[in-house]
Amino acid sequence: MTTSVVDVVETKGRRLMPRWRDYGRPRELVVRYLLLLLVLGLTVGPLLWQLLASLKGVSEDVFGTDATLLPHHPTLRAYRTVFDQVPVWSYIRNSLIVVALSVTSQLVFSTTAGYMLSKPAWKGRKAVWVVLVASMMFPFESIMVSLFISIRDLGLVDNLAGVWLPGFVGAINVLLMRGAFLAVPREIEDSAMLDGANEWQRFRYLYLPSAWGAIMVVVINTFISAWDDFLWPLIVLRSESNMTLTLGLSRLQSSSFGYDQRMVMAGSVISVVPVLVLFVITQRWFYKGVSSGAVKL
């Protein structure tokens, strides 16, 4: 009995291995990978270039015709200089305080508000939902002046609480949690009610575990937003002791530090590392939460 040519090769004790042509024609495959390489270069390329530039010695050019991509003699001198001349650990502490406050408030208010918006039993739910969606249309710059006046009247200028307060809850996070809670089957909640579970117990033991992926999305988005924020801390903060990491490291571009390009690149890498570490650790829940929370957004 003869066998026909198949598209997969079956080996004993192994999975079926697809051939290259199973993924498309060679021309389509080349175009697909070229596009992926282009996107990878646009996203990872600048960060990689900053990292390589920060490792260059004093005698190596960062810009210009004589500059090279790879450092000839890699050194951590720029990082040591940044930590010696700038209170980096104080900046990191201030940023962590703002991040902790932001993540806590976002989780508390976005989960509770999203839970209430997912319930059809109270009037005005659609009106609140429309207001939240409409608020996302206005850029931060359009309300920045009024926010600063409010923070000034509260006496929170040059205070970390003044950096945190305008972003204590975000409309996008509320809508994301609403979509995640809407995905919970109504029959499960009815069963919990028959078992005697009250409102808080259903929220704590039924809805929150079901929306774990969306919660991680809220945590990651809030962490990145609070950690990388530069404009609002620049407006609110005055003293160096209260500066956040991104604001403090921007001082490396001033003339008082000689505008060493390697130090500027090193400062940029230092500020990005915590975000990358967090994303690598939580990426599995992040992608799962994006897909689940967007079902009924």
Side-chain angles (χ1 to χ4, degrees), residues 250-265:
S250 66
R251 298 174 59 243
L252 295 173
Q253 304 183 39
S254 62
S255 57
S256 58
F257 294 94
Y259 191 61
D260 190 340
Q261 299 156 349
R262 299 156 195 82
M263 290 178 58
V264 175
M265 300 300 174

Side-chain angles (χ1 to χ4, degrees), residues 14-257:
R14 296 185 179 181
R15 297 172 56 189
L16 297 179
M17 301 299 294
R19 293 173 183 256
W20 281 104
R21 63 189 181 191
D22 294 337
Y23 296 102
R25 290 178 296 182
R27 182 178 301 177
E28 297 176 354
L29 198 61
V30 170
V31 173
R32 187 182 306 173
Y33 277 96
L34 286 178
L35 290 176
L36 290 175
L37 289 175
L38 176 61
V39 173
L40 182 65
L42 293 176
T43 54
V44 182
L47 179 60
L48 181 61
W49 176 74
Q50 288 182 349
L51 176 62
L52 295 175
S54 66
L55 297 176
K56 291 185 177 182
V58 180
S59 59
E60 299 182 65
D61 293 332
V62 178
F63 304 102
T65 56
D66 297 332
T68 58
L69 179 62
L70 299 176
H72 299 295
H73 304 287
T75 177
L76 296 177
R77 183 196 65 86
Y79 293 92
R80 290 194 295 266
T81 305
V82 169
F83 279 92
D84 290 340
Q85 297 189 13
V86 178
V88 177
W89 294 115
S90 176
Y91 298 156
I92 293 177
R93 180 198 62 200
N94 295 334
S95 292
L96 289 177
I97 292 175
V98 175
V99 166
L101 291 173
S102 300
V103 170
T104 302
S105 63
Q106 288 280 359
L107 283 179
V108 172
F109 289 100
S110 63
T111 53
T112 53
Y115 175 75
M116 291 303 300
L117 286 175
S118 66
K119 296 296 181 181
W122 60 283
K123 296 181 180 180
R125 178 175 60 92
K126 292 185 178 180
V128 174
W129 183 83
V130 171
V131 170
L132 287 175
V133 174
S135 66
M136 297 169 58
M137 299 180 180
F138 300 96
F140 173 76
E141 290 76 11
S142 64
I143 60 174
M144 187 170 55
V145 175
S146 59
L147 280 178
F148 177 76
I149 294 175
S150 301
I151 294 298
R152 184 195 61 188
D153 295 340
L154 291 173
L156 296 179
V157 175
D158 197 21
N159 193 304
L160 294 178
V163 178
W164 156 74
L165 191 58
F168 76 98
V169 66
I172 183 63
N173 292 330
V174 174
L175 298 180
L176 181 66
M177 294 307 305
R178 171 184 176 272
F181 290 145
L182 283 175
V184 178
R186 179 67 181 177
E187 292 76 11
I188 299 179
E189 184 178 12
D190 293 339
S191 299
M193 294 175 63
L194 292 175
D195 292 336
N198 56 33
E199 191 78 28
W200 167 251
Q201 290 173 334
R202 297 197 301 272
F203 173 71
R204 169 65 179 83
Y205 298 105
L206 176 61
Y207 279 90
L208 287 183
S210 301
W212 180 248
I215 291 175
M216 293 306 301
V217 174
V218 173
V219 171
I220 296 174
N221 287 340
T222 304
F223 183 96
I224 295 176
S225 178
W227 185 270
D228 292 340
D229 192 14
F230 174 78
L231 180 59
W232 184 244
L234 178 64
I235 296 173
V236 175
L237 300 179
R238 299 288 185 269
S239 59
E240 183 180 8
S241 60
N242 290 328
M243 288 185 178
T244 57
L245 184 63
T246 53
L247 180 60
L249 291 179
S250 66
R251 298 174 59 243
L252 295 173
Q253 304 183 39
S254 62
S255 57
S256 58
F257 294 94

